[in-house]
Amino acid sequence: MKKAATVLWCSLLFFLHSYAQDTYSEKRKQMVESQLITRGIKDKATLNAMRTVERHQLVPGTQTRYAYEDRPLPIGYGQTISQPYIVAYMTETIRPEAGMKILEIGTGSGYQAAILAEIVDRVYTVEIVDSLGRRAQKKLRDLGYKNIHVKLGDGYFGWEEHAPFDAIIVTAATEYIPPPLMEQLKEDGKMVIPVGAPFTAQYLMLVKKKNGKIKTQKLLPVRFVPFTRSD
Ligand code: SAH
């Protein structure tokens, strides 16, 4: 009798879990259609990654149910995860492909790193807030991402041991583009970075390196949390 009750209970839990997973995958599909495709995101690899990565598993538990909404969400320590459109836009801008090695500055929840890891070979990501970096590292490991490497520290200096990178994504707003990041970008590489002084307008910039020279282009007005420095 006791065994039967346990089996029944486990089946119910399994059913509820599968139901929740189906609901989230449906929400992800809708997010891709209504927030990304209608706003012009076209890159197939980016759209597939956005359909695949379980954003609800990477945001804090209090935010799970809002994971697929069209807005940024708090992830603790005064930080936020960008709205899905901005993540997709930044990803599409660097044109990620299999075989690439990418650097991200500002691991946060680990979501942007996971999106990149679905497409490219290796993702190196640096986070300045220890607890956030550790949390993301554990979550990403639990979700099975073996090609994401997290470092705790000041991303101003990039990650020299693994440079140069095919592309760099910075997810916190800087007042200027950190010179070490420009150095660690490969020839013909692309970097997307929000630039702007605190409390002023920020622009997402595309930075390209051609023949050793840096060219910048303004893309979109944005609002990111500030790039902070370790003392
Ligand atoms: N890419 C993240 C978004 C994180 S918000 C995601 O997908 O969830 C920006 C992150 O940048 C925050 O976690 C913040 O702590 C981090 N950050 C700010 N300044 C930094 C720096 N100098 N080096 C590394 N990380 C930094």
Side-chain angles (χ1 to χ4, degrees), residues 189-219:
K190 292 192 185 105
M191 166 162 37
V192 268
I193 177 167
V195 180
F199 312 111
T200 66
Q202 297 169 5
Y203 273 90
L204 199 60
M205 308 288 291
L206 172 61
V207 179
K208 284 187 190 162
K209 197 182 207 177
K210 264 243 147 40
N211 301 323
K213 288 205 182 102
I214 295 291
K215 277 194 173 167
T216 59
Q217 182 190 335
K218 262 186 185 179
L219 297 174

Side-chain angles (χ1 to χ4, degrees), residues 10-176:
C10 288
S11 312
L12 180 68
L13 284 181
F14 180 75
F15 171 77
L16 288 175
H17 179 74
S18 314
Y19 176 74
Q21 288 302 325
D22 284 355
T23 311
Y24 285 125
S25 98
E26 192 46 45
K27 282 189 175 176
R28 257 195 319 278
K29 257 198 224 157
Q30 281 169 15
M31 168 192 88
V32 168
E33 289 296 324
S34 66
Q35 300 174 34
L36 311 185
I37 294 177
T38 54
R39 289 188 183 130
I41 303 291
K42 288 192 181 73
D43 180 59
K44 284 213 169 79
T46 302
L47 291 171
N48 278 341
M50 298 290 298
R51 269 186 209 106
T52 309
V53 178
E54 302 191 322
R55 183 169 161 103
H56 67 280
Q57 303 266 24
L58 289 158
V59 298
T62 52
Q63 303 299 318
T64 313
R65 76 177 101 154
Y66 311 117
Y68 299 102
E69 290 188 1
D70 189 15
R71 61 184 172 100
L73 295 173
I75 54 171
Y77 305 89
Q79 307 303 321
T80 55
I81 175 176
S82 299
Q83 89 189 88
Y85 173 69
I86 293 292
V87 175
Y89 183 89
M90 291 173 87
T91 308
E92 178 175 74
T93 301
I94 61 158
R95 299 270 165 218
E97 282 175 17
M100 284 185 169
K101 181 169 63 163
I102 312 263
L103 173 68
E104 180 200 21
I105 306 300
T107 316
S109 68
Y111 180 64
Q112 173 75 76
I115 292 287
L116 293 168
E118 290 285 338
I119 308 170
V120 305
D121 278 17
R122 276 170 294 162
V123 178
Y124 292 90
T125 177
V126 186
E127 173 54 56
I128 203 165
V129 177
D130 278 21
S131 324
L132 275 176
R134 287 216 178 83
R135 180 183 172 278
Q137 195 166 30
K138 182 177 180 317
K139 283 262 175 174
L140 291 167
R141 205 185 304 131
D142 292 351
L143 289 172
Y145 288 100
K146 295 200 170 70
N147 56 344
I148 303 177
H149 308 276
V150 182
K151 179 165 97 167
L152 306 175
D154 186 350
Y156 181 91
F157 302 104
W159 198 334
E160 210 176 347
E161 300 91 298
H162 300 288
F165 299 97
D166 295 290
I168 301 179
I169 287 192
V170 181
T171 64
T174 55
E175 287 186 44
Y176 59 93

